[in-house]
Amino acid sequence: MNATALTTTYNFQAYMIYLPIVIFLTVLVSQFLFKNSKAFMIDIFHQKEDIAMATNSLFKIGFYLLNLGFALCIIEFFQIETIERLVVALSEKIGGFSIYLGVMMLLNLLLFLKGRKHAMNKDKIIKNENTHI
């Protein structure tokens, strides 16, 4: 007689812990980043607040889509049979996602700084052209 051993896994619990944490982290970083990026956007768009805020909102949506999409792509857990393995697996997934989220935040900040620098250089060029007329 062939006996099939039923093993209890903690995979479902892992998903139910992982998803709210990565969603919360994504929302938290997004809110912080885009609340503080308004000043950069207004500078980049030469004090045109409506365009700056619209662009900032589009960046925010893109940030959500990219990061939540990545979080869902890496969601798979394999045969978690003990609480210890559950903690380790969650630590690896959430830690890796946190590092990724930090890198994405820094890349966004670099984009804002580069855009601001470009806008300031453009302002200097326009001012120099106007003083030579």
Side-chain angles (χ1 to χ4, degrees):
M1 184 162 154
N2 212 357
T4 305
L6 295 176
T7 58
T8 303
T9 66
Y10 293 95
N11 287 44
F12 182 75
Q13 289 86 342
Y15 297 128
M16 293 299 102
I17 294 168
Y18 172 81
L19 284 171
I21 290 173
V22 297
I23 291 169
F24 173 76
L25 285 173
T26 302
V27 170
L28 181 72
V29 170
S30 177
Q31 294 298 324
F32 181 78
L33 181 63
F34 292 100
K35 176 184 157 204
N36 293 301
S37 67
K38 289 178 185 177
F40 289 104
M41 289 301 221
I42 290 171
D43 260 0
I44 290 168
F45 289 102
H46 307 286
Q47 309 310 314
K48 296 176 184 169
E49 194 167 334
D50 55 338
I51 295 173
M53 293 303 98
T55 304
N56 204 34
S57 294
L58 292 172
F59 265 103
K60 187 177 189 178
I61 295 298
F63 189 84
Y64 279 134
L65 291 172
L66 188 62
N67 293 305
L68 291 175
F70 181 73
L72 292 172
C73 282
I74 66 167
I75 195 172
E76 190 172 11
F77 290 96
F78 297 100
Q79 288 305 106
I80 302 172
E81 295 175 353
T82 66
I83 296 292
E84 179 183 358
R85 182 66 193 126
L86 174 65
V87 171
V88 170
L90 285 169
S91 296
E92 289 172 352
K93 290 283 185 179
I94 294 168
F97 182 73
S98 295
I99 292 168
Y100 163 81
L101 202 55
V103 169
M104 292 305 294
M105 186 188 75
L106 291 174
L107 287 175
N108 272 282
L109 182 58
L110 288 173
L111 283 173
F112 294 139
L113 290 171
K114 186 174 181 176
R116 185 170 183 257
K117 182 179 176 183
H118 178 74
M120 290 173 74
N121 286 341
K122 190 174 180 180
D123 283 345
K124 285 180 187 178
I125 291 169
I126 291 171
K127 285 180 185 176
N128 285 339
E129 287 175 356
N130 289 339
T131 59
H132 288 79
I133 294 179

